[in-house]
Amino acid sequence: MSSSSRGPGAGARRRRTRCRRCRACVRTECGDCHFCRDMKKFGGPGRMKQSCLLRQCTAPVLPHTAVCLLCGEAGKEDTVEGEEEKFGLSLMECTICNEIVHPGCLKSLPSCLQMGKAEGVINAEIPNCWECPRCTQEGRTSKKPKPPLASAEGPAVPSPSPQREKLERFKRMCQLLERVPDTSSSSSDSDSDSDSSGTSLSEDEAPGEARNGRRPARGSSGEKENRGGRRAVRPGTGGPLLSWPLGPAPPPRPPQLERHVVRPPPRSPEPDTLPLAAGSDHPLPRAAWLRVFQHLGPRELCICMRVCRTWSRWCYDKRLWPRMDLSRRKSLTPPMLSGVVRRQPRALDLSWTGVSKKQLMWLLNRLQGLQELVLSGCSWLSVSALGSAPLPALRLLDLRWIEDVKDSQLRELLLPPPDTKPGQTESRGRLQGVAELRLAGLELTDASLRLLLRHAPQLSALDLSHCAHVGDPSVHLLTAPTSPLRETLVHLNLAGCHRLTDHCLPLFRRCPRLRRLDLRSCRQLSPEACARLAAAGPPGPFRCPEEKLLLKDS
DNA sequence: AGTAACGTCTGT
DNA sequence: ACAGACGTTACT
């Protein structure tokens, strides 16, 4: 195997490895995803050899054995203090040519070997990842593969056009995500990342349906040569250590872009001022601009984002995007999804969309601050992604009118994740902290309500309208002395629950905080019994005028 | 030596 | 385009 005979740093591309620190790395396997089920330890055949979907590292690092192609040494950023010095001594891997160097080693090359004043384009999303000055300088990005510098004798690398397209998308993504100290003009088109349609977002890529959201293809390690059949031969890869940048450069291998990750915007310092064409800065600081932007809607913000690079960056501020609405979009494109992730909304409406399970999983894994999620009218197939998603901040979940949701499906969502160890913390379901749950139109029975009492005990608003199986016993359950919801419920929607009879009405007086009870379209309820409930004086519910018992269809 | 899993290739 | 397979790499 030729790649193993190459010394590290001699052009052998390095496989990335887990950071072991990110949230994904430190969690346990879900035991339930496609790849877990394949694992021998979970009773599978062990053929796929992939990491648990929930354990996909979000910051894959270079292996410890990686060294600089130029000096042959490892990363040495720990030996210095300043940011700039650290950068010069860190190992950077180019997403295009895959070469790993110390940026400092590049700078100290004789000037005749340097690439003018070209700067690398740093990809802040992935550690030690950039587009090296040479690739940047030569425009070796989306359009052309990196030609062998010394016109090596090797065969041209076949680059099928789909891969080329992916490369272009990848390049765009890198430009959009880059957080380079603005010395380079190589990313001038990155300002155009917001599109003209207002609420729809188009910018960097998200994997969408692709490849389970696997990590970005770094260069691989040349193992493609181990297969018979067609393969991309890499000429000149055994070249001398110091051949770069003069020697035959490894031809580019378009990375397999469908696997790259898009993460929340890094906490990189934002420019605080707006540079003007005249060279000076606009007197208003960023904070003032943000206060202006806060008065704009999504459409206007997207327009602002096309004004200039600085505005574009400022407008990603998540304070400007507390809620995002993608409802009723038949298909969600990768740019839309990554646009959401970059804006980190607190509330996201995906109702009646064709969001897929993978897309939802991808999103939720990257929206850890999400407080409100609306998925009404989506398919259970997709929504089941909630079953293995981390939802630490979730307060509102809307699952109305999802087809095929019965007790067993809701159970999946309510029960604690399978990897929660009994002694770890107390076993907590995902919806423990949820205050508002909308379950209208689902085929739930009292079995689900019992689970709700146990695993969603903090509900203040519950929508069970048009749940055909909800009847008097359900109200008994909800208002029983043992029910935690008896104390917490403020809003309860039971509209269209035909099985409810007058007998259940007095039970609602057990809920001291109940302020709004929707009993519209409950055929068996008599106006008289409802009137008696409504007239119930203190300490019963519905005391204030704005607190209502809704009885009739308005 | 053993385990995990990365990145690419193949068949559909 | 996708899912599955698997050689190989990274690390213990």
Side-chain angles (χ1 to χ4, degrees), chain A residues 139-416:
Chain A
R140 232 184 264 128
T141 56
S142 46
K143 300 291 188 284
K144 302 175 196 74
K146 179 179 182 177
L149 244 202
S151 71
E153 64 300 333
V157 176
S159 39
S161 56
Q163 286 194 324
R164 180 58 29 77
E165 283 172 29
K166 289 178 195 166
L167 185 57
E168 280 185 34
R169 295 205 312 268
F170 183 68
K171 170 63 181 169
R172 281 201 304 274
M173 178 201 80
C174 289
Q175 288 180 339
L176 289 162
L177 296 180
E178 56 144 301
R179 293 293 184 269
V180 78
D182 270 346
T183 47
S184 157
S185 60
S186 65
S187 56
S188 54
D189 58 341
S190 68
D191 294 327
S192 59
D193 56 5
S194 55
D195 75 359
S196 51
S197 67
T199 51
S200 88
L201 309 159
S202 84
E203 52 208 290
D204 45 279
E205 290 293 313
E209 282 304 275
R211 262 331 223 190
N212 308 316
R214 288 192 204 178
R215 77 195 24 65
R218 308 271 54 94
S220 87
S221 342
E223 66 271 35
K224 75 241 153 262
E225 295 171 15
N226 59 26
R227 291 258 180 159
R230 70 181 115 100
R231 59 194 175 217
V233 182
R234 296 180 58 211
T237 44
L241 192 66
L242 290 173
S243 65
W244 199 95
L246 283 183
R253 268 199 329 166
Q256 287 214 329
L257 304 159
E258 65 270 28
R259 288 180 204 165
H260 69 260
V261 279
V262 178
R263 299 186 196 84
R267 302 271 70 85
S268 63
E270 295 279 345
D272 198 51
T273 52
L274 176 63
L276 300 175
S280 59
D281 283 343
H282 193 281
L284 280 186
R286 171 168 172 267
W289 281 110
L290 284 185
R291 280 202 290 279
V292 174
F293 292 143
Q294 269 166 351
H295 293 280
L296 305 180
R299 182 176 297 272
E300 291 82 11
L301 281 173
C302 284
I303 294 169
C304 290
M305 292 175 88
R306 294 203 302 275
V307 169
C308 71
R309 181 179 176 73
T310 304
W311 273 26
S312 171
R313 289 183 63 177
W314 288 348
C315 285
Y316 273 120
D317 194 300
K318 67 179 177 185
R319 287 168 289 181
L320 303 178
W321 303 92
R323 324 183 73 82
M324 293 187 72
D325 182 1
L326 295 176
S327 59
R328 299 189 184 270
R329 288 173 185 269
K330 270 249 162 54
S331 67
L332 299 180
T333 63
M336 289 179 193
L337 300 183
S338 55
V340 171
V341 169
R342 294 200 66 195
R343 289 164 175 84
Q344 291 288 303
R346 290 201 311 271
L348 179 60
D349 186 348
L350 296 173
S351 57
W352 307 96
T353 60
V355 66
S356 72
K357 180 172 182 174
K358 280 178 195 164
Q359 287 177 318
L360 191 56
M361 182 93 89
W362 186 89
L363 272 175
L364 297 180
N365 275 310
R366 288 160 179 79
L367 295 174
Q368 304 272 327
L370 197 64
Q371 294 173 12
E372 300 182 10
L373 179 59
V374 179
L375 293 170
S376 49
C378 296
S379 77
W380 167 253
L381 200 63
S382 313
V383 172
S384 62
L386 289 172
S388 40
L391 298 162
L394 198 66
R395 292 293 171 268
L396 182 155
L397 181 59
D398 186 333
L399 302 175
R400 288 178 293 177
W401 304 105
I402 295 175
E403 282 183 35
D404 301 322
V405 172
K406 300 192 173 70
D407 291 333
S408 59
Q409 282 75 27
L410 193 68
R411 181 186 178 83
E412 239 180 85
L413 299 189
L414 287 169
L415 290 182

Side-chain angles (χ1 to χ4, degrees), chain A residues 118-145:
Chain A
E119 295 282 341
V121 178
I122 297 166
N123 180 344
E125 305 297 309
I126 302 167
N128 305 82
C129 182
W130 72 343
E131 289 170 12
C132 68
R134 187 171 125 209
C135 289
T136 306
Q137 169 87 0
E138 298 183 0
R140 232 184 264 128
T141 56
S142 46
K143 300 291 188 284
K144 302 175 196 74

Side-chain angles (χ1 to χ4, degrees), chain A residues 520-521 551-554:
Chain A
R520 289 176 291 184
S521 305
L551 300 169
K552 295 180 184 166
D553 301 302
S554 47

